[in-house]
Amino acid sequence: LVGVLVKAASSMVDSSIITLSRFLFGVLFLGAFLLIKDKKIKVVLKSPWIWIGALGKCCNYIFENLGISIGFAYGNIIVMPLQSLILLVISTLFFKEKLTAKHWFAAGLCFIGVFFVSWNGLPLSVLLDTNMLVFVLFAFSSIGASFHFLSQKVLIKNTDSGTMNFSMFLISTLITALPVPFTGSVKGEFSTVALLALIGLGFITGISFYLYANSLKKV
């Protein structure tokens, strides 16, 4: 849903406001969920992995939103395959996981898929002039998402999923709010659809990554 929602929101506001809104509404949704579930909210700021995760997620959202805004709504489909390739390397170097030929074959299929989605049937001259910029933006987004994943994988062993994600997204909200007074702009008239899209993106950020972190305990 992210690509469609970002595209809808971009009809009213620019990518910097979209990025801030994803974290801001995400913190609000996750905070409300934690208050209902645990009757309290705990914030952890001392762990370096919390900051690595927050910076990684900022990088992920900033470049993803920018790429979707200037490209196609489905463009971010290449983020996950690229992230898979990056995580294969991280898994071998950081977690010392043993990868088989089957893993690398699957990675090759991911890479081929990324290439064809990015190509989109365009002449190579057009691909190099336009789609390559969008591809680079999504590549940086994938790097950020990988570091966010890495931090979650490390922290989830000893940190509650809600506390971890709330802390990361709170930091990310403050970071992405800094440039908005200078770079943020409203491009068109108020749109209820665009507003609902921003709220929906926040819900996805707050709740889905709470579930995502819990799933990492099993994988």
Side-chain angles (χ1 to χ4, degrees):
L1 295 175
V2 169
V4 176
L5 294 177
V6 169
K7 204 66 177 179
S10 66
S11 66
M12 184 176 71
V13 295
D14 71 350
S15 61
S16 62
I17 295 179
I18 294 174
T19 301
L20 171 61
S21 298
R22 291 179 75 172
F23 287 123
L24 179 60
F25 286 119
V27 165
L28 293 177
F29 276 117
L30 186 55
F33 174 78
L34 293 176
L35 286 175
I36 294 172
K37 176 178 174 289
D38 301 327
K39 303 296 187 295
K40 64 179 181 179
I41 297 176
K42 182 180 179 182
V43 179
V44 177
L45 298 177
K46 293 183 178 180
S47 171
W49 283 108
I50 290 288
W51 288 88
I52 291 172
L55 292 171
K57 204 61 192 168
C58 284
C59 176
N60 173 208
Y61 276 6
I62 288 170
F63 289 108
E64 181 181 57
N65 294 334
L66 187 57
I68 294 173
S69 296
I70 66 177
F72 297 105
Y74 66 82
N76 69 327
I77 195 174
I78 70 175
V79 171
M80 288 302 291
L82 286 173
Q83 181 182 343
S84 298
L85 296 174
I86 296 170
L87 290 177
L88 275 178
V89 177
I90 291 177
S91 295
T92 56
L93 297 179
F94 191 86
F95 294 115
K96 307 301 181 183
E97 294 181 359
K98 184 179 180 180
L99 301 178
T100 65
K102 181 172 66 175
H103 290 109
W104 291 111
F105 178 72
L109 293 179
C110 281
F111 182 81
I112 294 171
V114 167
F115 173 76
F116 280 115
V117 170
S118 302
W119 185 2
N120 196 27
L122 297 172
L124 289 180
S125 59
V126 178
L127 172 67
L128 295 175
D129 287 340
T130 56
N131 280 29
M132 284 305 297
L133 171 61
V134 176
F135 175 81
V136 170
L137 292 173
F138 285 131
F140 279 114
S141 175
S142 300
I143 294 172
S146 298
F147 277 99
H148 175 246
F149 167 89
L150 178 61
S151 68
Q152 285 190 310
K153 186 70 174 174
V154 172
L155 289 169
I156 198 61
K157 298 174 183 177
N158 302 305
T159 308
D160 174 71
S161 173
T163 297
M164 173 179 64
N165 279 291
F166 186 86
S167 301
M168 287 183 187
F169 295 149
L170 180 61
I171 294 171
S172 299
T173 300
L174 299 175
I175 292 174
T176 54
L178 293 176
V180 168
F182 308 101
T183 62
S185 63
V186 177
K187 299 192 289 186
E189 297 181 356
F190 174 79
S191 168
T192 302
V193 172
L195 178 61
L196 292 175
L198 291 173
I199 295 173
L201 286 166
F203 179 81
I204 290 173
T205 295
I207 303 302
S208 69
F209 280 104
Y210 171 83
L211 301 174
Y212 184 73
N214 283 326
S215 72
L216 293 180
K217 294 179 180 179
K218 310 292 184 182
V219 180

